[in-house]
Amino acid sequence: MKEIKTEAMKNKQIIRLFLDFDGTLSDWLKGCCKVCDIDTEDKEIRDKLKTGIELQDLGSVSATEMWKKIEDIGSKWWEELEKLPWADKLVDFCKDFGEVCFLTSPGDMEKWPRNVPYAAHGKFIWGNRHFPSIPLIIAHKKHLCASPNTILIDDSEKKVKEFEKAGVN
């Protein structure tokens, strides 16, 4: 990253770093486990979760059931996600390299249409509660924010690749 900043400074370019919320700054997985009554204190479950296993593959709940439970709680579920232990350090680190902005998705409008407004509202509150000075963009298609001087920090490899592809000159 230092090379990127050095090159950008030579060319008097501003680097903009977009940070995702879920899985990057907020503990989305722990929130899902909690709403699905999955015991994250159980070592066997923790070990399985570290492998990237989907919650529905643990056999306790389907994706549809999980999203229904989240929907029933509404925006409060998103508002109350725990901040990940490294969140403050990551944000501060990124501030050293350029402008920081949050870029988060409200979810899939086709699959979970009732959850989208809850997620958008809850994420807005979450961002303002934990990082009130950082601007927030809520967008379904993060790659539309890409340009040659932008970086996306996201736990979704697919979204990062789309963003990188869109940001090329």
Side-chain angles (χ1 to χ4, degrees):
M1 274 239 240
K2 288 185 180 184
E3 299 84 30
I4 294 169
K5 182 178 181 184
T6 302
E7 190 62 32
M9 289 173 73
K10 282 183 198 174
N11 298 323
K12 299 190 188 300
Q13 297 170 327
I14 295 171
I15 296 293
R16 187 165 293 120
L17 296 105
F18 291 105
L19 295 168
D20 176 46
F21 276 176
D22 306 324
T24 304
L25 298 173
S26 67
D27 201 339
W28 184 88
L29 183 59
K30 187 173 184 179
C32 289
C33 287
K34 184 176 179 181
V35 79
C36 294
D37 296 320
I38 296 171
D39 182 9
T40 57
E41 298 302 314
D42 181 304
K43 183 179 176 356
E44 185 178 333
I45 290 174
R46 270 198 329 271
D47 289 344
K48 285 180 182 178
L49 290 170
K50 286 178 188 174
T51 68
I53 193 171
E54 298 289 328
L55 291 181
Q56 59 267 21
D57 295 335
L58 288 173
S60 58
V61 68
S62 71
T64 301
E65 291 169 321
M66 178 190 76
W67 285 110
K68 177 68 176 117
K69 288 174 183 262
I70 292 170
E71 181 182 294
D72 289 346
I73 298 169
S75 65
K76 202 79 161 151
W77 187 84
W78 299 93
E79 293 171 36
E80 294 178 354
L81 288 176
E82 289 181 27
K83 187 166 47 165
L84 285 164
W86 57 79
D88 292 319
K89 286 182 182 176
L90 178 59
V91 170
D92 289 342
F93 178 81
C94 288
K95 285 179 181 178
D96 288 341
F97 289 92
E99 293 180 345
V100 174
C101 182
F102 296 132
L103 179 57
T104 188
S105 172
D108 190 325
M109 192 64 167
E110 290 180 28
K111 288 183 181 177
W112 319 110
R114 292 189 57 209
N115 260 313
V116 169
Y118 295 140
H121 182 255
K123 288 179 177 206
F124 179 81
I125 291 171
W126 190 94
N128 281 312
R129 178 180 298 140
H130 295 288
F131 301 98
S133 65
I134 309 272
L136 167 64
I137 298 171
I138 299 175
H140 290 285
K141 299 185 185 281
K142 295 178 183 183
H143 69 276
L144 296 176
C145 292
S147 72
N149 300 324
T150 58
I151 297 169
L152 174 64
I153 299 173
D154 196 305
D155 64 315
S156 168
E157 188 175 338
K158 178 184 175 196
K159 289 180 183 172
V160 170
K161 287 186 185 303
E162 288 172 352
F163 193 90
E164 288 173 348
K165 184 177 177 185
V168 176
N169 283 335

